[in-house]
Amino acid sequence: MKWFKEDLYGAAITQWLGVDKLIYKGRSKYQNILLFENNSLGRVLALDGIVQTTEKDEFIYHEMIVHVPMFSHPDPKKVLIIGGGDGGAAEEVLKHPSVESVVMVDIDGKVIELAKKYLRKICRRAFEDNRLTLIVDDGVKYVNNTDERFDVIIVDSPDPIGPGKVLFTKKFYQSLYNILNKRGIISRQTGSTFFQGNELPQAYRIFKQVFPLNSVYVAAIPTYIGGFFSFVLSGKGIKSWPNLSVLKRRFSKAGIKTDYYTPDVHKASFVLPPYIQRRLS
Ligand code: SAM
């Protein structure tokens, strides 16, 4: 068997994943793209040598980056996804009956084409949902030019390398703030709390300069090695996050089947161990 070696971004750490069957290997206009079968993880997508998503554990990441902001909002109708070319985030957003429209802006049409063809267990029918508008463009360009306003924005980007780098700047978050409705909420991934130590505090510092309410939450995602993987939830025009009973009411009303997310997991994911809290102070 051949092996895929992931040199983890920002860390002297490597993980090897067996390539039981190569599905696609190539370079788009923006990044190296690798898609392969692994007997333990199912299909694996890697961009510029970094694991983006796997069929086996994608549900953890996509449920947590989507349902935490969606259930934190009282009535999310209009949603924007930046990145998310594998379609996993869009698939989760579209499960919410309140959603009237989702705009998904990914810079790389090739990732979307491959997801439609080979990652149906992740995107399912998301790309065929008539509420979805798919735009192949740089997320920065879109947010600087759109007249649309959104209730929830999900930044499902890769790490701050390659084309994803621009999605980590203060200017970008100021632009996101400007296109949020008054009770708007944003979520974004901010890397491994253990091995990509700077990604979270740097992003959190920027968020605090732009948004009045910012909170970090975590989930353990097996193929994003290093224990807790982090996310930041930011709010505009809101003073505090909904309590557990409100989350439970919204979750039960939405009637969404999940494998990781529950209102209790939602609340618990914001309880941070001291080593993470210290990074944020
Ligand atoms: N779940 C992954 C993670 O946590 O690293 C990210 C998933 S998704 C595959 C990342 C997507 O971001 C890719 O499809 C890539 O094409 C897209 N992307 C990278 N830079 C972008 C940019 N500047 N604007 C829009 N999409 C971008």
Side-chain angles (χ1 to χ4, degrees):
M1 165 164 61
K2 289 194 173 56
W3 291 87
F4 161 67
K5 175 172 177 280
E6 179 190 43
D7 294 321
L8 197 63
Y9 156 73
I13 302 281
T14 284
Q15 70 170 337
W16 296 82
L17 302 181
V19 179
D20 296 296
K21 183 179 161 228
L22 180 64
I23 298 171
Y24 177 86
K25 182 180 167 82
R27 178 163 182 81
S28 71
K29 201 172 141 200
Y30 300 98
Q31 51 206 340
N32 290 315
I33 306 174
L34 181 66
L35 198 51
F36 61 92
E37 293 274 1
N38 171 281
N39 285 343
S40 310
L41 296 166
R43 290 183 174 173
V44 180
L45 171 69
L47 298 176
D48 283 341
I50 303 283
V51 171
Q52 300 294 304
T53 194
T54 83
E55 284 178 339
K56 184 89 182 239
D57 67 359
E58 60 82 19
F59 70 94
I60 304 172
Y61 173 86
H62 290 122
E63 286 185 18
M64 288 304 279
I65 200 169
V66 167
H67 299 316
V68 169
M70 291 294 284
F71 285 119
S72 296
H73 191 287
D75 186 22
K77 292 186 167 61
K78 294 191 69 179
V79 179
L80 171 63
I81 299 170
I82 303 286
D86 47 59
E91 200 257 338
E92 292 299 333
V93 168
L94 289 162
K95 287 178 181 172
H96 287 256
S98 64
V99 167
E100 293 169 358
S101 67
V102 184
V103 175
M104 181 175 139
V105 183
D106 195 295
I107 200 166
D108 200 333
K110 190 66 187 170
V111 174
I112 294 165
E113 178 199 317
L114 291 165
K116 286 179 181 175
K117 199 166 169 192
Y118 298 112
L119 296 176
R120 278 293 170 184
K121 284 185 184 168
I122 296 178
C123 63
R124 299 195 194 286
R125 308 290 304 151
F127 290 113
E128 286 71 42
D129 191 306
N130 59 21
R131 291 172 292 167
L132 178 72
T133 302
L134 197 46
I135 296 171
V136 179
D137 202 353
D138 184 329
V140 173
K141 211 167 111 207
Y142 175 80
V143 299
N144 289 338
N145 296 298
T146 184
D147 297 329
E148 294 291 335
R149 292 296 175 265
F150 299 95
D151 299 315
V152 169
I153 299 177
I154 293 159
V155 182
D156 182 13
S157 77
D159 289 320
I161 48 174
K165 212 168 180 166
V166 293
L167 305 179
F168 285 75
T169 64
K170 181 179 174 186
K171 192 166 169 294
F172 176 62
Y173 285 98
Q174 193 57 61
S175 314
L176 291 183
Y177 182 92
N178 298 338
I179 63 171
L180 271 178
N181 284 325
K182 60 180 188 313
R183 291 178 304 179
I185 294 175
I186 286 194
S187 68
R188 75 142 306 127
Q189 65 91 358
T190 43
S192 162
T193 59
F194 210 76
F195 289 137
Q196 294 165 330
N198 292 331
E199 202 168 309
L200 171 59
Q202 278 168 5
Y204 188 66
R205 230 187 331 273
I206 291 175
F207 277 113
K208 285 205 299 186
Q209 294 167 29
V210 178
F211 293 93
L213 182 60
N214 302 279
S215 298
V216 174
Y217 63 104
V218 293
I221 301 160
T223 48
Y224 297 167
I225 58 170
F228 278 139
F229 192 81
S230 65
F231 304 83
V232 179
L233 189 72
S234 297
K236 166 182 180 180
I238 37 179
K239 290 196 173 26
S240 63
W241 301 119
N243 63 34
L244 185 57
S245 60
V246 168
L247 291 175
K248 285 186 170 177
R249 182 164 40 78
R250 290 175 183 172
F251 184 62
S252 139
K253 186 171 166 234
I256 294 175
K257 180 193 165 306
T258 56
D259 296 306
Y260 188 88
Y261 178 92
T262 68
D264 288 300
V265 166
H266 176 139
K267 273 298 182 198
S269 70
F270 285 85
V271 178
L272 302 177
Y275 88 90
I276 300 177
Q277 286 178 12
R278 275 198 294 275
R279 287 248 175 83
L280 304 176
S281 54

